[in-house]
């Protein structure tokens, strides 16, 4: 499993993939976690609270981004 996470001032992403297939992503616009696989396949689910953890990760990412900007000045 591979995790992709990142942020900017206005956007962010958190996604999990397996063998190149998107398994889960945080939809920050609709405020929910999404499992995009079709229902007829047996797929891996994130544990309860996955979306909330993604939101917390974005807050940490933005704080780190702000700290780096201050340090670079």
């Amino acid at each position: 499993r591979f995790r992709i996470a990142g942020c900017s001032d206005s956007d962010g992403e958190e996604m999990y993939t397996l063998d190149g297939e998107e398994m889960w992503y945080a939809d920050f616009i609709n405020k929910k976690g999404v499992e995009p696989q079709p229902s007829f396949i047996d797929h891996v689910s994130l544990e309860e609270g996955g979306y909330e953890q993604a939101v917390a990760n974005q807050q940490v990412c933005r704080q780190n981004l702000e700290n780096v900007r201050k340090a670079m000045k």
Side-chain angles (χ1 to χ4, degrees):
R1 187 161 81 169
F2 186 70
R3 175 179 173 249
I4 297 171
C7 69
S8 69
D9 289 334
S10 61
D11 201 8
E13 180 161 5
E14 181 132 358
M15 176 181 71
Y16 290 88
T17 67
L18 182 63
D19 295 333
E21 296 292 325
E22 193 173 44
M23 303 300 292
W24 184 92
Y25 67 92
D27 181 345
F28 294 116
I29 293 171
N30 294 307
K31 300 181 179 178
K32 65 180 182 174
V34 177
E35 295 178 348
Q37 308 85 22
S39 61
F40 59 84
I41 66 167
D42 185 23
H43 62 273
V44 178
S45 293
L46 239 62
E47 70 251 7
E48 194 71 29
Y51 176 76
E52 291 77 12
Q53 184 61 49
V55 170
N57 291 344
Q58 289 296 299
Q59 292 170 346
V60 170
C61 184
R62 286 194 176 96
Q63 185 62 50
N64 290 340
L65 184 61
E66 183 179 324
N67 291 341
V68 168
R69 285 184 179 144
K70 285 180 183 177
M72 304 272 300
K73 287 186 177 184

